[in-house]
Amino acid sequence: MRIALFGNPNTGKSSIFNHLSGMRQHVGNFPGVTVDLKLSDIRIGDQTHQLIDFPGTYSIYPRSNDEKVVYEVLRNPQHKHYPDLAVVVADASNLERNLFLFSQIYDLGLPSLLVLNMNDIAQRNGIRIDVAKLKEAFPGTQIVEANARVGFGTDRLKQAIQSNQIQKAAKPFLDGFQVAAIENTSAQSEEAELRFKKIRFLLSEVLTRDVKTKQEGNLKLDRILVHPIWGYFIFAAILLVLFQMIYSFAALPMDFIDAQFAAFSEWTSAHLPEGNFYDLISQGIIPGIGGVVVFVPQIALLFFFIALLEESGYLARVVFIMDRLMRPLGLNGKSVVPLLSSVACAIPGVMATRTISNWKERLITILVAPLMSCSARIPVYTLLIALVIPDQKVFGIINLQGLVLFALYALGLIAALGIAAILKAFIRTSEKSFLLLELPSYKAPQWKNVGLTVWEKVKVFVLDAGKVILAISVILWVLASFGGEEKSAAKIASLQESPVYMSMAEEDRSQIEASIRLGNSYMGQLGKGIEPVIAPLGYDWKIGISLITSFAAREVFVGSLATIYSVQDDGEQNLPLLQRLRAEKRADGKPVYSLATGVSLMVFYVFAMQCMATLAVVKRETKSWKWPLIQLLFMGVLAYLGAGLTYHLLS
């Protein structure tokens, strides 16, 4: 049997899907989490069924691209996803709006099962539902009470599905119902008016509400959190505290991971025989992978705090207050969800724009979403901040490094809004837009959901980035270890005759010889070829190589630097990357990684696209190469000019 899950956004539909299927799907507390179909085979009793999770919608008539999926399937019984049973998940604390969708699906003649979810919230709000009387209004259906956040009601739902007692509607809820054409909005409005009238009459008989409810507490909080002035200050303060905590709490586990990779590198030095394989492991793979894994604690903390905000219901308030700011810039409040998703990764962020019904606002959101600082930028930011920003307090309490990290995220947001305003002037459309948003009740976070979210995000980061970094580390090691042998040998032989060289310590001699070999290698030749282009930004050829390799994925920048500098010192000292970078000098004796160079690099990575996967997703979502190429061009120009200006201002 094919079982379809339908429901309004934010009714716990994804949680029901997870409990039935056991899949670790993302569970959110704000509208628009599910933007595509999720399928899974589930076993109930001795039978296997196919379970399909459809995007959340308020009606069978779509207002956005993802909601069209529901309309296309329900109006066509020959569709491959047309269900044998419709399970409609409803928010029991807001039954009037949720019964609208359920009664439409019921009237289509589909065997339907109604799940009254969030019963705990309904009870706290003083809402009591006469389930038996409600069932009389929908003969043939089954009604199950549940609280999907804690798994309550899942067994009863399975029993109801297994009972085979769910039948088609013998009589429609709304007499004379016919599915209207998608363009026939007048027929849809007429139907909505009649349907809501009948639903309100039904609820007057089946629903009672206490006079004093917890909703009053929600309203009191909302008066502060969505206040037209204080709401923005509170949101900015929450973000500032969040980044301070990320820096404060991540230091110890990062030091521990760094020490473990250094110890592992020493162990390989002691146990592997010398040769190319030893060099590949100690100078290529271990430094490359370790240079990125060390940042896992910061990434995990970022997603932990975002999951807390999402689970509590606060993120929906952020969408609401940001709508006022975003609309004049060519966006709307729903753009906040893709932009915040892009803080994790631009790819789901771009895909989440499907919830935006207006084409112009959706396109602008797609084009600016990659400017939000994603998790792949965290290794780059934190390495460079630790390198050039002193670890000290501002005003005695604020960590300066955390403040700089906050400023980089703020710079990405400001750039996204500014570019959106410019794009608004160039992209023309006559389509009108609106924001329809439900503010969920405030809830205590479900720690299991928070833990799963953090685990999934970190796993994706480590595995996806790890594959790319492993491949690029091997390529970089080959490029840095071979090429120009004769030229290097001649230069070293000439150098060995000089009195200055003879007076040097053995360790310094080895360092100079390794630098000469690296400079004449294939990598050195490639880097020096592009050096004239990047020199105005304060970068040398080694940084240039890392910029090129990180075009595939930003986090590769750190792994590339780790490999290059590990090859340079011949892998003998096993020094942390930070120490190697601090010791790097230009020909005039000045440090390569000065404040100007470091901040210039940070600004470059705030603006640069540097992610081929995001470009591919933008092409898929816009169905053209025109927009990803425009995006690549304006972000590249912005990155180059921004980095150059920063370098010259700080030099």
Side-chain angles (χ1 to χ4, degrees):
M1 184 164 61
R2 188 177 299 121
I3 304 170
L5 278 179
F6 298 106
N8 291 180
N10 203 39
T11 55
K13 188 166 55 66
S14 295
S15 295
I16 295 281
F17 181 86
N18 285 347
H19 284 300
L20 288 177
S21 67
M23 286 182 64
R24 291 176 174 177
Q25 188 193 346
H26 180 57
V27 181
N29 191 31
F30 57 90
V33 170
T34 303
V35 295
D36 215 338
L37 295 182
K38 310 291 181 191
L39 295 90
S40 176
D41 288 334
I42 61 170
R43 190 155 185 87
I44 299 177
D46 57 355
Q47 292 185 315
T48 301
H49 308 288
Q50 185 185 48
L51 183 66
I52 307 175
D53 184 13
F54 282 84
T57 180
Y58 294 99
S59 163
I60 62 170
Y61 301 115
R63 294 171 296 101
S64 59
N65 286 337
D66 57 326
E67 291 179 2
K68 280 182 183 173
V69 175
V70 177
Y71 180 80
E72 295 295 333
V73 170
L74 288 180
R75 73 170 188 169
N76 180 14
Q78 307 305 316
H79 195 285
K80 66 176 182 179
H81 293 313
Y82 189 82
D84 303 302
L85 170 67
V87 176
V88 181
V89 183
D91 177 359
S93 65
N94 201 339
L95 207 50
E96 178 179 321
R97 194 197 59 233
N98 284 259
L99 279 182
F100 184 86
L101 175 66
F102 173 73
S103 63
Q104 282 184 320
I105 293 174
Y106 178 82
D107 285 349
L108 289 172
L110 267 171
S112 304
L113 191 157
L114 177 63
V115 179
L116 294 179
N117 195 26
M118 302 184 182
N119 254 319
D120 56 330
I121 296 174
Q123 290 171 6
R124 285 204 300 270
N125 290 343
I127 295 172
R128 286 191 291 275
I129 301 169
D130 188 335
V131 176
K133 194 172 284 186
L134 179 62
K135 191 175 174 182
E136 290 175 7
F138 300 98
T141 193
Q142 291 277 322
I143 298 178
V144 175
E145 296 178 273
N147 181 4
R149 283 162 56 81
V150 295
F152 175 74
T154 305
D155 290 338
R156 286 204 298 269
L157 176 56
K158 290 180 179 176
Q159 289 168 7
I161 293 172
Q162 195 176 7
S163 68
N164 291 322
Q165 294 179 356
I166 305 168
Q167 301 168 357
K168 293 182 180 179
K171 180 185 173 195
F173 178 75
L174 186 66
D175 293 331
F177 170 70
Q178 294 287 332
V179 179
I182 200 166
E183 304 84 8
N184 192 352
T185 53
S186 61
Q188 295 172 22
S189 299
E190 185 179 344
E191 179 209 321
E193 190 175 334
L194 293 172
R195 191 176 293 279
F196 269 123
K197 185 177 179 181
K198 191 162 185 178
I199 290 171
R200 290 189 190 107
F201 178 77
L202 170 64
L203 291 181
S204 68
E205 295 185 331
V206 303
L207 190 146
T208 57
R209 187 192 297 268
D210 292 344
V211 177
K212 282 193 173 183
T213 70
K214 192 177 177 181
Q215 278 188 318
E216 292 178 1
N218 284 329
L219 291 174
K220 285 179 183 175
L221 276 175
D222 281 342
R223 287 190 193 107
I224 302 171
L225 296 179
V226 301
H227 189 275
I229 296 174
W230 299 118
Y232 298 110
F233 279 108
I234 292 171
F235 181 44
I238 288 173
L239 289 181
L240 181 59
V241 170
L242 187 148
F243 288 116
Q244 291 291 313
M245 293 175 79
I246 288 173
Y247 248 95
S248 300
F249 295 161
L252 280 178
M254 288 179 70
D255 290 344
F256 175 78
I257 294 172
D258 205 19
Q260 299 312 304
F261 271 92
F264 184 48
S265 189
E266 287 180 7
W267 182 87
T268 57
S269 300
H271 292 81
L272 290 180
E274 289 194 9
N276 285 340
F277 180 71
Y278 160 76
D279 290 342
L280 173 62
I281 298 295
S282 64
Q283 300 170 22
I285 294 176
I286 294 177
I289 298 293
V292 172
V293 173
V294 71
F295 297 102
V296 164
Q298 287 184 331
I299 291 168
L301 279 170
L302 174 66
F303 288 125
F304 173 76
F305 290 124
I306 289 177
L308 284 186
L309 298 179
E310 182 182 329
E311 278 279 316
S312 66
Y314 177 68
L315 275 191
R317 272 75 185 175
V318 173
V319 170
F320 177 74
I321 62 174
M322 292 302 287
D323 187 60
R324 296 191 198 105
L325 289 181
M326 293 194 159
R327 198 162 289 280
L329 303 174
L331 305 169
N332 78 20
K334 277 196 171 181
S335 301
V336 171
V337 177
L339 294 182
L340 281 175
S341 297
S342 297
V343 172
C345 177
I347 293 170
V350 170
M351 293 173 67
T353 60
R354 294 175 191 176
T355 59
I356 302 172
S357 56
N358 183 281
W359 175 81
K360 177 179 176 180
E361 291 173 347
R362 183 175 180 235
L363 178 61
I364 293 176
T365 307
I366 288 174
L367 293 177
V368 303
L371 285 166
M372 300 296 291
S373 288
C374 64
S375 59
R377 289 175 168 105
I378 292 180
V380 181
Y381 290 166
T382 49
L383 174 74
L384 295 170
I385 287 173
L387 194 60
V388 300
I389 305 297
D391 183 13
Q392 62 187 44
K393 301 287 185 186
V394 179
F395 305 122
I397 53 172
I398 301 176
N399 182 289
L400 179 60
Q401 293 182 328
L403 191 62
V404 171
L405 182 63
F406 173 75
L408 292 172
Y409 275 79
L411 180 61
L413 175 62
I414 292 169
L417 298 180
I419 295 294
I422 295 171
L423 292 172
K424 180 188 175 187
F426 287 96
I427 302 174
R428 302 286 181 183
T429 180
S430 58
E431 194 178 356
K432 302 292 183 186
S433 73
F434 60 90
L435 174 67
L436 179 64
L437 177 71
E438 176 193 2
L439 295 184
S441 300
Y442 292 104
K443 305 167 191 168
Q446 289 293 307
W447 297 110
K448 182 181 177 184
N449 288 344
V450 174
L452 284 175
T453 299
V454 173
W455 168 249
E456 290 295 331
K457 298 294 184 186
V458 170
K459 187 173 73 173
V460 168
F461 172 77
V462 171
L463 295 183
D464 286 4
K467 293 173 192 169
V468 178
I469 290 166
L470 181 63
I472 290 183
S473 294
V474 173
I475 294 170
L476 284 177
W477 174 81
V478 172
L479 290 174
S481 301
F482 299 97
E485 286 83 359
E486 292 182 4
K487 194 173 178 181
S488 297
K491 194 167 184 178
I492 290 171
S494 170
L495 184 67
Q496 287 173 341
E497 296 174 359
S498 70
V500 176
Y501 178 87
M502 298 295 290
S503 64
M504 287 181 175
E506 185 63 31
E507 184 178 313
D508 293 333
R509 292 181 190 175
S510 300
Q511 181 76 21
I512 289 177
E513 291 175 10
S515 296
I516 291 172
R517 282 192 283 270
L518 180 61
N520 290 314
S521 67
Y522 296 125
M523 180 185 290
Q525 296 170 37
L526 179 62
K528 289 171 184 174
I530 64 169
E531 199 166 23
V533 179
I534 58 174
L537 311 183
Y539 309 157
D540 66 1
W541 64 270
K542 296 171 193 168
I543 298 175
I545 289 291
S546 300
L547 291 179
I548 292 173
T549 54
S550 65
F551 182 74
R554 298 177 181 93
E555 59 271 35
V556 173
F557 175 80
V558 177
S560 298
L561 283 181
T563 301
I564 291 169
Y565 284 98
S566 181
V567 171
Q568 178 171 290
D569 77 12
D570 213 18
E572 292 179 352
Q573 299 183 47
N574 292 323
L575 292 175
L577 179 59
L578 268 177
Q579 290 186 32
R580 290 173 178 160
L581 297 181
R582 283 175 181 145
E584 186 71 359
K585 305 288 184 187
R586 298 182 191 275
D588 59 4
K590 294 180 180 177
V592 171
Y593 294 94
S594 62
L595 177 67
T597 305
V599 178
S600 169
L601 270 169
M602 291 182 223
V603 171
F604 182 89
Y605 274 96
V606 167
F607 296 138
M609 169 56 87
Q610 301 290 99
C611 184
M612 288 191 293
T614 300
L615 285 173
V617 171
V618 171
K619 189 264 175 185
R620 191 182 72 180
E621 294 297 316
T622 59
K623 297 181 173 57
S624 163
W625 275 110
K626 172 187 170 184
W627 295 111
L629 289 176
I630 290 175
Q631 191 178 35
L632 179 66
L633 181 65
F634 81 72
M635 289 183 70
V637 171
L638 196 61
Y640 190 85
L641 295 180
L645 180 64
T646 303
Y647 178 74
H648 289 287
L649 286 176
L650 296 178
S651 292

